[in-house]
Amino acid sequence: MPASLPDRLSTDPTSPYFNAELLERGVGIRFKGVEKNNVEEYCVSEGWVRLSVGKAVDRKGKPMTMKLQGKVEPYLREAGTDEAAPEASEG
């Protein structure tokens, strides 16, 4: 189990930054302080995320993405919860 999350992580199995074990465990991303659940790849040191855009795919069947610049905060999601945002459980 890694002591900290990697600087860069991708959900694409062909990427050199892909880590299946870590993705199965569950990684959440806060981008500019907002939870994002459509992140395809991130880089903390360079300060960017690559987000999927709707259901559009390219000619190879991979999701179309856009790259946004800003503060990236990855974290491990807790076991047994789908969302890590405690505000969603208030009611």
Side-chain angles (χ1 to χ4, degrees), residues 38-62:
N38 59 340
V39 176
E40 295 291 322
E41 187 174 4
Y42 73 82
C43 183
V44 176
S45 63
E46 295 177 13
W48 58 263
V49 293
R50 191 169 294 280
L51 303 173
S52 60
V53 182
K55 295 182 180 180
V57 294
D58 65 9
R59 61 184 171 197
K60 296 180 182 177
K62 294 182 181 181

Short mmCIF file of all heavy atoms in Angstrom, two decimals, residues 38-62:
data_model
loop_
_atom_site.label_atom_id
_atom_site.label_comp_id
_atom_site.label_asym_id
_atom_site.label_seq_id
_atom_site.Cartn_x
_atom_site.Cartn_y
_atom_site.Cartn_z
N ASN A 38 -15.33 12.73 -12.93
CA ASN A 38 -15.11 12.38 -14.33
C ASN A 38 -13.66 12.62 -14.75
O ASN A 38 -13.37 12.91 -15.89
CB ASN A 38 -16.06 13.16 -15.24
CG ASN A 38 -15.91 14.66 -15.12
OD1 ASN A 38 -15.37 15.18 -14.14
ND2 ASN A 38 -16.39 15.38 -16.11
N VAL A 39 -12.73 12.46 -13.81
CA VAL A 39 -11.31 12.68 -14.07
C VAL A 39 -10.71 11.45 -14.73
O VAL A 39 -10.82 10.34 -14.22
CB VAL A 39 -10.56 13.01 -12.76
CG1 VAL A 39 -9.07 13.14 -13.01
CG2 VAL A 39 -11.11 14.28 -12.14
N GLU A 40 -10.10 11.65 -15.88
CA GLU A 40 -9.43 10.56 -16.60
C GLU A 40 -7.94 10.48 -16.22
O GLU A 40 -7.36 9.41 -16.22
CB GLU A 40 -9.55 10.76 -18.11
CG GLU A 40 -10.97 10.68 -18.63
CD GLU A 40 -11.55 9.29 -18.54
OE1 GLU A 40 -10.82 8.32 -18.77
OE2 GLU A 40 -12.75 9.17 -18.23
N GLU A 41 -7.34 11.63 -15.91
CA GLU A 41 -5.93 11.69 -15.57
C GLU A 41 -5.69 12.97 -14.78
O GLU A 41 -6.38 13.96 -14.97
CB GLU A 41 -5.08 11.68 -16.84
CG GLU A 41 -3.60 11.58 -16.62
CD GLU A 41 -2.81 11.43 -17.92
OE1 GLU A 41 -3.41 11.48 -19.01
OE2 GLU A 41 -1.59 11.27 -17.82
N TYR A 42 -4.69 12.93 -13.88
CA TYR A 42 -4.32 14.14 -13.15
C TYR A 42 -2.82 14.20 -12.95
O TYR A 42 -2.12 13.20 -13.04
CB TYR A 42 -5.03 14.22 -11.79
CG TYR A 42 -4.49 13.27 -10.74
CD1 TYR A 42 -3.35 13.59 -10.01
CD2 TYR A 42 -5.11 12.06 -10.47
CE1 TYR A 42 -2.84 12.73 -9.05
CE2 TYR A 42 -4.62 11.21 -9.52
CZ TYR A 42 -3.48 11.54 -8.80
OH TYR A 42 -2.98 10.69 -7.85
N CYS A 43 -2.32 15.41 -12.70
CA CYS A 43 -0.92 15.64 -12.36
C CYS A 43 -0.88 16.74 -11.30
O CYS A 43 -1.26 17.88 -11.59
CB CYS A 43 -0.09 16.02 -13.58
SG CYS A 43 1.66 16.21 -13.19
N VAL A 44 -0.43 16.40 -10.10
CA VAL A 44 -0.41 17.36 -9.00
C VAL A 44 0.69 18.41 -9.20
O VAL A 44 0.45 19.60 -9.06
CB VAL A 44 -0.21 16.64 -7.65
CG1 VAL A 44 -0.08 17.64 -6.51
CG2 VAL A 44 -1.36 15.68 -7.39
N SER A 45 1.91 17.98 -9.56
CA SER A 45 3.03 18.92 -9.66
C SER A 45 2.84 19.94 -10.78
O SER A 45 3.25 21.10 -10.64
CB SER A 45 4.34 18.17 -9.88
OG SER A 45 4.31 17.47 -11.11
N GLU A 46 2.21 19.55 -11.88
CA GLU A 46 1.97 20.48 -12.98
C GLU A 46 0.64 21.21 -12.83
O GLU A 46 0.37 22.16 -13.54
CB GLU A 46 2.02 19.74 -14.31
CG GLU A 46 3.40 19.17 -14.61
CD GLU A 46 3.44 18.37 -15.90
OE1 GLU A 46 2.48 18.44 -16.70
OE2 GLU A 46 4.44 17.68 -16.11
N GLY A 47 -0.24 20.74 -11.92
CA GLY A 47 -1.50 21.41 -11.63
C GLY A 47 -2.54 21.33 -12.73
O GLY A 47 -3.09 22.33 -13.14
N TRP A 48 -2.85 20.10 -13.20
CA TRP A 48 -3.89 19.94 -14.21
C TRP A 48 -4.64 18.63 -14.03
O TRP A 48 -4.16 17.70 -13.41
CB TRP A 48 -3.35 20.05 -15.63
CG TRP A 48 -2.26 19.07 -15.99
CD1 TRP A 48 -0.92 19.32 -15.98
CD2 TRP A 48 -2.41 17.71 -16.43
NE1 TRP A 48 -0.24 18.20 -16.38
CE2 TRP A 48 -1.12 17.21 -16.66
CE3 TRP A 48 -3.49 16.87 -16.64
CZ2 TRP A 48 -0.88 15.90 -17.09
CZ3 TRP A 48 -3.26 15.57 -17.07
CH2 TRP A 48 -1.98 15.11 -17.30
N VAL A 49 -5.84 18.61 -14.57
CA VAL A 49 -6.66 17.39 -14.65
C VAL A 49 -7.16 17.27 -16.08
O VAL A 49 -7.30 18.26 -16.79
CB VAL A 49 -7.87 17.40 -13.68
CG1 VAL A 49 -7.43 17.35 -12.25
CG2 VAL A 49 -8.77 18.58 -13.93
N ARG A 50 -7.41 16.05 -16.49
CA ARG A 50 -8.01 15.79 -17.80
C ARG A 50 -9.37 15.17 -17.51
O ARG A 50 -9.47 14.09 -16.94
CB ARG A 50 -7.11 14.85 -18.60
CG ARG A 50 -7.51 14.75 -20.04
CD ARG A 50 -6.47 14.03 -20.87
NE ARG A 50 -5.20 14.73 -20.98
CZ ARG A 50 -4.95 15.74 -21.80
NH1 ARG A 50 -5.91 16.20 -22.58
NH2 ARG A 50 -3.77 16.30 -21.86
N LEU A 51 -10.43 15.89 -17.89
CA LEU A 51 -11.81 15.47 -17.61
C LEU A 51 -12.47 14.94 -18.88
O LEU A 51 -12.29 15.49 -19.96
CB LEU A 51 -12.63 16.65 -17.09
CG LEU A 51 -12.10 17.36 -15.86
CD1 LEU A 51 -12.91 18.60 -15.58
CD2 LEU A 51 -12.10 16.44 -14.67
N SER A 52 -13.27 13.87 -18.71
CA SER A 52 -14.03 13.38 -19.85
C SER A 52 -15.18 14.34 -20.13
O SER A 52 -15.74 14.95 -19.22
CB SER A 52 -14.56 11.97 -19.59
OG SER A 52 -15.41 11.96 -18.47
N VAL A 53 -15.52 14.47 -21.41
CA VAL A 53 -16.55 15.42 -21.84
C VAL A 53 -17.76 14.64 -22.32
O VAL A 53 -17.76 14.11 -23.42
CB VAL A 53 -16.01 16.32 -22.97
CG1 VAL A 53 -17.05 17.34 -23.37
CG2 VAL A 53 -14.73 17.00 -22.54
N GLY A 54 -18.75 14.55 -21.48
CA GLY A 54 -19.98 13.84 -21.85
C GLY A 54 -19.74 12.39 -22.22
O GLY A 54 -18.89 11.72 -21.65
N LYS A 55 -20.50 11.91 -23.21
CA LYS A 55 -20.39 10.52 -23.66
C LYS A 55 -19.62 10.41 -24.98
O LYS A 55 -19.54 9.34 -25.56
CB LYS A 55 -21.77 9.91 -23.82
CG LYS A 55 -22.51 9.79 -22.51
CD LYS A 55 -23.86 9.15 -22.70
CE LYS A 55 -24.57 9.04 -21.37
NZ LYS A 55 -25.89 8.42 -21.52
N ALA A 56 -19.07 11.52 -25.44
CA ALA A 56 -18.35 11.54 -26.71
C ALA A 56 -17.08 10.70 -26.62
O ALA A 56 -16.40 10.70 -25.60
CB ALA A 56 -18.00 12.97 -27.09
N VAL A 57 -16.79 9.97 -27.70
CA VAL A 57 -15.58 9.16 -27.77
C VAL A 57 -14.84 9.48 -29.07
O VAL A 57 -15.44 9.91 -30.05
CB VAL A 57 -15.87 7.64 -27.69
CG1 VAL A 57 -16.43 7.27 -26.33
CG2 VAL A 57 -16.82 7.22 -28.78
N ASP A 58 -13.53 9.24 -29.07
CA ASP A 58 -12.77 9.44 -30.29
C ASP A 58 -12.87 8.20 -31.18
O ASP A 58 -13.57 7.25 -30.86
CB ASP A 58 -11.31 9.80 -29.98
CG ASP A 58 -10.54 8.69 -29.29
OD1 ASP A 58 -11.06 7.56 -29.18
OD2 ASP A 58 -9.41 8.94 -28.86
N ARG A 59 -12.18 8.20 -32.29
CA ARG A 59 -12.30 7.09 -33.24
C ARG A 59 -11.73 5.78 -32.72
O ARG A 59 -11.98 4.73 -33.30
CB ARG A 59 -11.64 7.46 -34.56
CG ARG A 59 -10.17 7.73 -34.44
CD ARG A 59 -9.60 8.18 -35.74
NE ARG A 59 -8.24 8.63 -35.55
CZ ARG A 59 -7.58 9.35 -36.40
NH1 ARG A 59 -8.16 9.72 -37.51
NH2 ARG A 59 -6.35 9.71 -36.15
N LYS A 60 -10.97 5.82 -31.63
CA LYS A 60 -10.44 4.60 -31.02
C LYS A 60 -11.30 4.13 -29.85
O LYS A 60 -10.96 3.16 -29.19
CB LYS A 60 -9.00 4.84 -30.55
CG LYS A 60 -8.07 5.12 -31.71
CD LYS A 60 -6.67 5.35 -31.23
CE LYS A 60 -5.76 5.68 -32.41
NZ LYS A 60 -4.40 5.99 -31.97
N GLY A 61 -12.38 4.84 -29.56
CA GLY A 61 -13.30 4.45 -28.50
C GLY A 61 -12.94 4.99 -27.13
O GLY A 61 -13.59 4.66 -26.15
N LYS A 62 -11.94 5.86 -27.05
CA LYS A 62 -11.56 6.47 -25.77
C LYS A 62 -12.37 7.74 -25.57
O LYS A 62 -12.72 8.42 -26.53
CB LYS A 62 -10.07 6.80 -25.77
CG LYS A 62 -9.20 5.57 -25.82
CD LYS A 62 -7.74 5.93 -25.76
CE LYS A 62 -6.89 4.68 -25.83
NZ LYS A 62 -5.46 5.01 -25.75
#
